[in-house]
Amino acid sequence: MTTGAAVLGSIDDQISDRIRAADFRSWRKHVESVGGCAKPIHLDGEWRIEHAETGDTLAERAGQVMAPCGNRRASVCPACADRYAADCFHLIRAGLSGGKGIPDTVAGKPRLFVTLTAPSFGPVHTQRRGAGSGKRIPCGCGAFHLDADTRLGTPIDPATYDYAGAVLWQAHSGDLWHRFTVRLRRELAKAAGLKVREIDQHARIAYAKVAEYQRRGLIHFHAVIRLDGPHGAHSPAPHWAHPDLLTAAVEAAARGSHVRRTLATPTGDTAQHRFVWGTQVDIRTIQPVDATKVETGRGEITDHALAGYIAKYATKGTSTSDAADRPIRSEVDIDNLIISEHHRTMIRTAWDLGGLPGLGFLRRWAHMLGFRGHFLTKSQRYSRSFQDLRAERAHWRHTELLERFGVTDDDIIVINDWRTTGAGYNTDAERELAGAIYERIRQQRITRYDREATA
Ligand SMILES: [Zn+2]
Ligand SMILES: [Zn+2]
């Protein structure tokens, strides 16, 4: 309880005042229109559709409106993260089992769920189990760690942990993924008994991948890899294509890909770096079973569950703390972040290395612990894009409008004129109410989903 709250009255009083205010109904409508977005953008202006010949106004919207913030991170805006996750789900799902312009024959093609990890940069606190017995064995520090132990994933000896190596690996992980895809094509050709330059006439690799931060502040890439025929999603996979062959090629490509760089060091020298994947590579065959279970046994995974899984990864941040939401502007910022000392050291390492020649970009990505890639990327042929999905929704609304007035695109003039006037909410009471609106919309969606699932 702050002293300010005593003057203004309790949050409950503020909320009931807001609800009784004359403009509440229209305010609530605005917030509902953005799905209860936590930090909506306020716009002022007008949108109008006029009949080109008569000049009659067919439809209009003018005055103050809200637009969703569009943030991907659930910690920043749960409402917009939900929408992002839903789009992500549909994209991944379409590439796995068809829909949104992708034929459902993709479900019969060789498809793998692959996890590529970062190598070790020094021992970290872990929960371990004996390989054969499955019995718990102590961490390298001698202790048994519980799930909630904040030491998990952090270095046992921070003084000897290779922070520079970790940050530099992370900064080059996107390049390493690229090397992996190039190598995979080569390994696939070899496995099929073809020359590398011949492979495109027989098969194409399509993929979608997400980056997920682990406790140790390093990312894993989770990827769906599909083997298509020469023309992509619509062409049948070659006769030799089998999940086992693809698995072997992925394994070989993961082991064989590396990125070499000569980078500046703090002593004024340069050093040779060779970035590789961690030894832990997880490869599972995706089964075309529409079940609610994630695991079907024998390390297999179903496509529906998998799409949900990946969508969830895509809305996660740097995990243990989301305090570092924005780029770091100065060294002082780093000291003030409310994050673990391990993450702080990674951020500081990235910032310091960013002061060296040729490594300036690291400062821009220090808050991401050096990672400068995108959270969700896919090959062009995997499935549709986010832009496609959004354009499709806008097109659908537009078509509906034209039908309603019985006109075509040639008959109308669209006037769209908006300017930004602000962002977010004015008071804690409004923020709380918006949160409740988001929660209600979410519950309604879950109920509707359950009803459809049991119908
Ligand atoms: Zn939002
Ligand atoms: Zn330990």
Side-chain angles (χ1 to χ4, degrees):
M1 179 68 71
T2 63
T3 45
V7 177
L8 293 167
S10 74
I11 184 80
D12 290 343
D13 291 343
Q14 288 179 47
I15 289 172
S16 55
D17 284 352
R18 188 69 190 86
I19 291 171
R20 280 197 302 267
D23 69 335
F24 181 70
R25 273 167 169 276
S26 78
W27 180 85
R28 188 179 61 191
K29 256 211 178 110
H30 283 308
V31 179
E32 281 168 350
S33 75
V34 293
C37 172
K39 211 177 176 195
I41 298 151
H42 299 266
L43 301 166
D44 195 5
E46 67 166 336
W47 165 87
R48 200 168 70 241
I49 292 187
E50 278 180 5
H51 198 285
E53 278 188 11
T54 63
D56 290 344
T57 298
L58 299 175
E60 71 179 326
R61 198 174 175 193
Q64 304 264 350
V65 299
M66 286 181 190
C69 74
N71 198 297
R72 173 190 66 79
R73 309 267 289 276
S75 60
V76 178
C77 180
C80 293
D82 276 1
R83 191 169 33 229
Y84 180 88
D87 281 355
C88 182
F89 176 86
H90 289 302
L91 293 183
I92 299 285
R93 180 77 205 268
L96 283 169
S97 41
K100 312 264 171 210
I102 300 291
D104 57 13
T105 47
V106 290
K109 290 177 175 177
R111 300 163 309 159
L112 302 180
F113 182 51
V114 176
T115 299
L116 296 173
T117 62
S120 168
F121 296 97
V124 295
H125 294 283
T126 48
Q127 292 170 310
R128 296 194 294 177
R129 288 190 184 276
S133 63
K135 257 171 70 181
R136 289 181 58 191
I137 53 174
C139 168
C141 73
F144 289 96
H145 298 294
L146 297 172
D147 288 348
D149 196 326
T150 54
R151 286 175 296 174
L152 281 170
T154 67
I156 293 178
D157 181 11
T160 60
Y161 188 79
D162 182 10
Y163 275 102
V167 166
L168 290 172
W169 180 88
Q170 189 119 284
H172 292 88
S173 57
D175 297 345
L176 187 54
W177 171 266
H178 176 70
R179 296 304 312 166
F180 166 75
T181 59
V182 170
R183 183 79 186 221
L184 179 56
R185 210 170 134 260
R186 210 159 86 194
E187 295 293 346
L188 203 61
K190 199 158 64 173
L194 295 163
K195 295 208 168 66
V196 179
R197 63 185 149 77
E198 295 170 338
I199 187 79
D200 288 354
Q201 295 152 34
H202 297 266
R204 294 274 185 172
I205 295 157
Y207 71 84
K209 80 174 205 300
V210 290
E212 186 206 15
Y213 281 92
Q214 306 299 298
R215 292 210 213 215
R216 61 181 171 142
L218 288 162
I219 50 138
H220 279 180
F221 283 131
H222 302 284
V224 171
I225 298 177
R226 190 182 72 214
L227 193 58
D228 289 336
H231 308 294
H234 290 269
S235 68
H239 66 89
W240 47 262
H242 186 275
D244 291 348
L245 182 138
L246 186 57
T247 300
V250 166
E251 236 161 28
R255 270 200 313 272
S257 43
H258 61 261
V259 169
R260 281 181 197 281
R261 291 281 185 276
T262 304
L263 303 172
T265 66
T267 55
D269 275 337
T270 57
Q272 299 280 341
H273 291 267
R274 187 169 175 272
F275 303 110
V276 297
W277 300 111
T279 48
Q280 190 202 335
V281 178
D282 191 53
I283 306 173
R284 300 188 209 195
T285 305
I286 302 165
Q287 293 302 310
V289 196
D290 196 350
T292 46
K293 279 192 305 183
V294 170
E295 309 267 348
T296 58
R298 296 186 299 138
E300 291 166 347
I301 195 161
T302 68
D303 46 21
H304 184 91
L306 183 57
Y309 219 42
I310 293 175
K312 213 180 289 161
Y313 290 145
T315 60
K316 274 174 72 178
T318 51
S319 75
T320 46
S321 169
D322 285 301
D325 273 331
R326 278 175 300 279
I328 309 287
R329 307 234 171 271
S330 74
E331 244 178 306
V332 187
D333 283 357
I334 302 173
D335 296 329
N336 295 335
L337 293 170
I338 304 162
I339 51 172
S340 72
E341 281 313 306
H342 176 54
H343 282 194
R344 195 190 312 282
T345 309
M346 285 190 81
I347 291 174
R348 192 173 290 127
T349 303
W351 181 267
D352 290 348
L353 287 170
L356 299 175
L359 291 172
F361 64 87
L362 278 174
R363 292 204 165 166
R364 209 167 345 125
W365 304 107
H367 67 298
M368 304 295 280
L369 316 179
F371 181 57
R372 51 179 168 152
H374 293 287
F375 277 86
L376 172 75
T377 50
K378 57 174 206 59
S379 62
Q380 206 194 328
R381 288 183 169 87
Y382 178 79
S383 71
R384 308 284 297 281
S385 69
F386 277 93
Q387 287 91 322
D388 284 350
L389 283 189
R390 283 176 202 140
E392 193 176 274
R393 278 201 290 263
H395 176 74
W396 185 79
R397 282 194 298 268
H398 185 68
T399 309
E400 197 187 35
L401 208 74
L402 295 180
E403 275 171 14
R404 181 144 46 102
F405 295 107
V407 292
T408 69
D409 266 324
D410 296 335
D411 301 326
I412 59 163
I413 296 168
V414 180
I415 294 121
N416 232 332
D417 178 25
W418 300 96
R419 63 191 170 277
T420 311
T421 58
Y425 295 106
N426 295 321
T427 62
D428 286 343
E430 286 192 348
R431 259 185 292 279
E432 291 245 346
L433 284 164
I437 289 169
Y438 157 69
E439 196 49 47
R440 181 169 48 73
I441 294 171
R442 194 175 79 91
Q443 285 306 329
Q444 282 168 350
R445 193 172 48 230
I446 292 169
T447 314
R448 195 169 58 233
Y449 180 82
D450 286 349
R451 212 181 300 131
E452 283 166 10
T454 52

